[in-house]
Amino acid sequence: MHQATIDAIWNHLKGTDLTLGLSKADLSLLPSTGLAHDHIRIGQETGWLARVPKQSQWERPAQDNLTYQAACFQRVGDTRAGPFMRQVIPVSDALPFGALIVAYVEGRPSVLPDDLPLIAECLAKIHAAPLPQDLAPLEDHKDPVIPALAEIRTQLSYLDKLDLPQEQADWIRSKVHWLATLSWPETSIQTLCGTDTHPGNFLIRGDMAVMVDLEKCLYGNPAIDLAHTSVYTSTTWEQSGTAILTPDQVVDFYETHLELLPPELETALRPWLWPMRWLLYLRAITWCCKYLAEQNRQGSGWSNAKNQASTVDHLTGRTIHYLNAETLSFIETEMAQLRFES
């Protein structure tokens, strides 16, 4: 399967200036760390790689998904917080979801809590970007709550397909119900958001962090990005670099980011920090329900058959861990201890 993907990328690029002096043997598949993409490095010196979707995570048609991802890279690339995109390889029989040629970021994985200030700076570049006159094709989540709750409820439906102890199932259902009845802040905030901002999606290059996984960007409330970077289900997600942040470390990260924003955005954002963190936690936990329910269905985007066994073993272990009683209790305790200044 991977060789067929390399063949397809080579057939599209051969004869162009990008592959000048290269042969197909110079295209190499990078180790897989996730479920959604393959990454093929184009030689060791060109500075480019092919980012090849294996699925459409938001279930868009393949071409729409590719167009969306290209827009994400273009807009974050303009802020210098993410890699530059060079070109789009269209959808074809050989590449059913197409591919993007993007800059290869030479960097190391982020290490928490040490690199949180650099990640805060990277996110601030994204959040402070001017809004374009036309937000399309990126999604417009002017109301950040309604679409997120809809996603959470859809994912919650998979809970019935799992053999989860009643205690955990009741906790998850009760928290989703509580979140739906919460009184949300009245201030309206809309910025460019990375959305999938867990620490594994940042590389550290010199004295800056670069966000490299950009296909889920949208225009919405940036508090969701701060949450996704620092919640337990994100900081313990990767196979390496696991960290459990203390409440003080979480608050320091938030404050570092807020200080880099325009004053009016900082003031408007503060009331959203705590409730959006709960929203992110429940989005993550209910996603675990969906993943476990779908991983053995061959037609699913999360099918085990589409991913390396080591990746499947790791992610299955993580999702099971996030649904156990001890983890849910940890989340409850952490959220009770957090204090964000209003």
Side-chain angles (χ1 to χ4, degrees):
M1 180 69 72
H2 289 141
Q3 186 57 52
T5 302
I6 290 174
D7 291 345
I9 295 295
W10 173 255
N11 289 337
H12 190 88
L13 297 178
K14 66 181 178 181
T16 69
D17 64 333
L18 188 57
T19 55
L20 189 65
L22 300 181
S23 69
K24 185 166 61 175
D26 294 310
L27 274 60
S28 56
L29 180 72
L30 298 181
S32 175
T33 58
L35 298 167
H37 295 83
D38 284 325
H39 296 87
I40 297 171
R41 190 168 182 183
I42 303 168
Q44 298 300 305
E45 305 296 335
T46 67
W48 300 102
L49 64 80
R51 178 180 168 86
V52 187
K54 294 189 284 186
Q55 58 169 296
S56 175
Q57 294 193 75
W58 283 346
E59 300 180 357
R60 296 185 181 89
Q63 187 56 55
D64 291 349
N65 179 63
L66 187 63
T67 299
Y68 195 98
Q69 293 197 21
C72 292
F73 273 87
Q74 287 171 340
R75 296 191 190 182
V76 175
D78 287 345
T79 73
R80 299 181 180 271
F84 178 76
M85 188 193 73
R86 174 174 173 141
Q87 72 183 85
V88 178
I89 297 180
V91 171
S92 64
D93 290 342
L95 293 169
F97 291 98
L100 302 179
I101 305 300
V102 303
Y104 175 77
V105 177
E106 194 80 58
R108 61 170 176 80
S110 63
V111 177
L112 270 55
D114 294 352
D115 291 325
L116 282 174
L118 297 182
I119 295 175
E121 183 178 1
C122 178
L123 289 174
K125 293 176 185 176
I126 296 172
H127 298 157
L131 293 184
Q133 188 172 2
D134 184 5
L135 303 185
L138 269 58
E139 291 194 5
D140 178 359
H141 287 195
K142 197 164 191 176
D143 183 329
V145 180
I146 291 176
L149 282 176
E151 181 182 13
I152 288 169
R153 289 190 180 105
T154 297
Q155 294 176 165
L156 182 65
S157 66
Y158 290 89
L159 183 57
D160 293 332
K161 300 180 182 180
L162 303 180
D163 186 23
L164 201 65
Q166 196 64 42
E167 177 188 4
Q168 287 101 287
D170 287 348
W171 188 94
I172 295 169
R173 288 194 178 94
S174 67
K175 287 299 180 187
V176 171
H177 174 75
W178 166 79
L179 190 70
T181 61
L182 199 63
S183 294
W184 294 85
E186 295 181 0
T187 53
S188 178
I189 306 171
Q190 193 172 38
T191 74
L192 179 60
C193 297
T195 303
D196 195 6
T197 57
H198 73 81
N201 283 341
F202 295 87
L203 291 177
I204 307 301
R205 183 176 60 190
D207 60 353
M208 66 182 294
V210 180
M211 187 177 175
V212 294
D213 199 2
L214 301 173
E215 78 271 12
K216 293 182 179 179
C217 296
L218 53 76
Y219 290 96
N221 190 306
I224 201 73
D225 283 355
L226 299 178
H228 203 162
T229 300
S230 57
V231 294
Y232 177 83
T233 50
S234 294
T235 65
T236 61
W237 177 251
E238 296 292 325
Q239 297 188 46
S240 61
T242 291
I244 302 174
L245 302 180
T246 67
D248 285 345
Q249 288 170 333
V250 171
V251 171
D252 286 347
F253 165 65
Y254 275 64
E255 291 296 332
T256 299
H257 174 270
L258 290 167
E259 289 173 2
L260 296 169
L261 297 179
E264 64 277 9
L265 178 56
E266 174 194 356
T267 300
L269 186 55
R270 285 188 178 276
W272 288 95
L273 301 179
W274 191 82
M276 290 293 278
R277 192 174 179 87
W278 261 120
L279 186 146
L280 188 284
Y281 260 133
L282 292 173
R283 191 181 78 184
I285 290 166
T286 55
W287 180 87
C288 291
C289 298
K290 177 179 180 178
Y291 173 75
L292 290 175
E294 288 280 277
Q295 67 177 161
N296 291 318
R297 185 170 69 83
Q298 292 302 307
S300 165
W302 311 117
S303 169
N304 290 346
K306 296 184 178 182
N307 299 287
Q308 295 178 5
S310 59
T311 300
V312 170
D313 289 346
H314 170 74
L315 299 185
T316 301
R318 287 289 80 197
T319 51
I320 291 172
H321 172 72
Y322 296 145
L323 294 173
N324 71 33
E326 292 78 10
T327 300
L328 300 182
S329 177
F330 174 90
I331 292 170
E332 184 101 47
T333 300
E334 181 211 69
M335 290 302 296
Q337 292 175 341
L338 279 175
R339 295 291 181 269
F340 298 117
E341 294 182 9
S342 59

